[in-house]
Amino acid sequence: MQSRNESAVTKFYFVGFTNDPKLEVPFFLLFFSVYIFTLLGNCSIILIVWLSPQLHTPMYFFLTQLAFLDLSFSSVISPKMLADLLTEKRIITFSGCIAQIFFFSGFASTEFFLLAAMAFDRYAAICNPLTYAVIMNNSMILWLVVGSYLGGFINSLIHASGLYRLSFCGPDVMNHFVCDYPVLLKLSCTDIMTNELILSVFASFIVVGSLFVIFFSYVYIITAILKMGNTAGRSRAASTCISHLTCVFLFHGSVFLNEILPKASSSEGQYKLVTVILTILIPALNPLIYSLRNNEVKEAARKILTWRCKTQ
């Protein structure tokens, strides 16, 4: 251990989700089941929209992107965590740790932008129905999606590249089951003030900026819904908005807790639990939120299953 502290750290050791060997297999089975459900649920959303011409609208195109992001950033974390639950040495290389942070941060940051874009789409559809097709044309949809990915991964690249300027000379034990940016910064033996400042500035810009767009979009949306005389139209508009707002609440809420818990006096177990909710539970819940409350998705799924049965 003495020689390891005097040299540069090339790998880190995860404490893991639990230290109790009796709980490792039950946790593995639980998280594996949720991960499989995440893959099946999000892939099903993408497949249903792709195979259903009536769902080839901007709202459902954004939904497929949300499904892709959910299964992507869950896949950055879950396979490694599941493998570590069945092994004694939970090791990740320094490069592997940076790569995990880069992709997870990139997909998660992109989701902030995409949820804001989805709010703008609902604003255009409900508040400007006559000009919706003009506003949400193919060019606008492309710019919103590409811009979300560019913004998310530029943010991720800045943070990941900033880690290479730091020195890690010990300790090399990370009390987590995933390479997390704030936890990794605590292990550095050099000044991290610049990294923390950049993290705070960019995180504030992305989170506050996306919430600003979502909030003001829904101020206009709610006003427009309340003015609707058609009860059926009001119910349909509210249904799509409730699904989106539920996803916003879950994602923003878990990210907020994930950021404040490392700085608070909360236990490490609470921090790990919130990370599980963000990286494993929410990606599994989003397909349910959109499919269970959306009659168009359920009807499209029913037609696809009926067609498959008739062709067999």
Side-chain angles (χ1 to χ4, degrees), residues 281-295:
L281 187 59
I282 290 179
L285 287 177
N286 281 347
L288 284 177
I289 292 169
Y290 269 95
S291 61
L292 291 179
R293 294 191 56 86
N294 194 306
N295 291 327

Side-chain angles (χ1 to χ4, degrees), residues 83-124:
D84 286 344
L85 282 170
L86 300 180
T87 58
E88 291 185 8
K89 292 186 177 180
R90 300 152 181 168
I91 302 173
I92 189 169
T93 63
F94 178 73
S95 297
C97 190
I98 301 298
Q100 194 176 66
I101 288 175
F102 171 75
F103 284 106
F104 176 74
S105 176
F107 289 125
S109 300
T110 301
E111 187 151 331
F112 278 110
F113 290 114
L114 187 68
L115 288 172
M118 294 173 76
F120 176 75
D121 172 69
R122 290 299 81 210
Y123 158 77

Side-chain angles (χ1 to χ4, degrees), residues 214-227:
I214 293 168
F215 175 78
F216 281 99
S217 294
Y218 274 98
V219 168
Y220 287 103
I221 289 170
I222 293 171
T223 302
I225 290 176
L226 292 176
K227 291 180 180 179

Side-chain angles (χ1 to χ4, degrees), residues 166-185:
L166 302 178
S167 297
F168 295 89
C169 46
D172 55 6
V173 177
M174 195 176 299
N175 190 7
H176 213 329
F177 60 86
V178 60
C179 275
D180 187 71
Y181 196 88
V183 177
L184 185 59
L185 287 181

Side-chain angles (χ1 to χ4, degrees), residues 21-303:
K22 296 180 180 178
L23 294 177
E24 289 177 350
V25 173
F27 275 130
F28 172 84
L29 295 174
L30 173 64
F31 294 144
F32 179 75
S33 300
V34 175
Y35 179 56
I36 294 299
F37 184 81
T38 299
L39 295 180
L40 292 176
N42 286 287
C43 288
S44 295
I45 290 288
I46 296 172
L47 190 62
I48 289 170
V49 174
W50 181 55
L51 293 176
S52 306
Q54 69 271 25
L55 299 184
H56 291 179
T57 63
M59 182 180 79
Y60 290 107
F61 178 71
F62 287 129
L63 180 57
T64 62
Q65 297 304 309
L66 179 66
F68 173 76
L69 289 173
D70 282 338
L71 66 88
S72 295
F73 78 71
S74 180
S75 296
V76 172
I77 304 300
S78 295
K80 172 63 176 171
M81 184 194 70
L82 290 170
D84 286 344
L85 282 170
L86 300 180
T87 58
E88 291 185 8
K89 292 186 177 180
R90 300 152 181 168
I91 302 173
I92 189 169
T93 63
F94 178 73
S95 297
C97 190
I98 301 298
Q100 194 176 66
I101 288 175
F102 171 75
F103 284 106
F104 176 74
S105 176
F107 289 125
S109 300
T110 301
E111 187 151 331
F112 278 110
F113 290 114
L114 187 68
L115 288 172
M118 294 173 76
F120 176 75
D121 172 69
R122 290 299 81 210
Y123 158 77
I126 295 171
C127 300
N128 302 279
L130 298 179
T131 57
Y132 176 66
V134 177
I135 297 172
M136 296 303 296
N137 54 51
N138 290 336
S139 297
M140 175 61 76
I141 295 169
L142 182 63
W143 275 111
L144 287 173
V145 172
V146 172
S148 296
Y149 280 94
L150 282 176
F153 277 92
I154 288 174
N155 169 66
S156 178
L157 180 62
I158 291 171
H159 295 317
S161 60
L163 290 171
Y164 280 102
R165 60 172 288 274
L166 302 178
S167 297
F168 295 89
C169 46
D172 55 6
V173 177
M174 195 176 299
N175 190 7
H176 213 329
F177 60 86
V178 60
C179 275
D180 187 71
Y181 196 88
V183 177
L184 185 59
L185 287 181
K186 292 180 181 179
L187 299 181
S188 174
C189 53
T190 52
D191 182 40
I192 60 173
M193 185 178 296
T194 301
N195 295 73
E196 290 182 323
L197 178 62
I198 293 174
L199 176 64
S200 298
V201 170
F202 276 78
S204 299
F205 172 77
I206 293 173
V207 174
V208 175
S210 61
L211 281 177
F212 180 86
V213 173
I214 293 168
F215 175 78
F216 281 99
S217 294
Y218 274 98
V219 168
Y220 287 103
I221 289 170
I222 293 171
T223 302
I225 290 176
L226 292 176
K227 291 180 180 179
M228 289 181 180
N230 189 325
T231 305
R234 181 187 299 178
S235 177
R236 183 177 180 276
S239 179
T240 60
C241 292
I242 289 172
S243 297
H244 177 253
L245 282 175
T246 303
C247 292
V248 170
F249 175 78
L250 289 173
F251 187 71
H252 277 265
S254 60
V255 169
F256 177 73
L257 288 175
N258 210 46
E259 290 300 319
I260 66 170
L261 283 180
K263 303 172 185 178
S265 58
S266 305
S267 68
E268 295 291 343
Q270 287 177 308
Y271 184 42
K272 292 177 185 179
L273 180 60
V274 173
T275 305
V276 167
I277 294 173
L278 174 63
T279 60
I280 298 174
L281 187 59
I282 290 179
L285 287 177
N286 281 347
L288 284 177
I289 292 169
Y290 269 95
S291 61
L292 291 179
R293 294 191 56 86
N294 194 306
N295 291 327
E296 291 180 333
V297 172
K298 288 189 286 188
E299 180 64 20
R302 187 188 65 79
K303 288 182 179 179

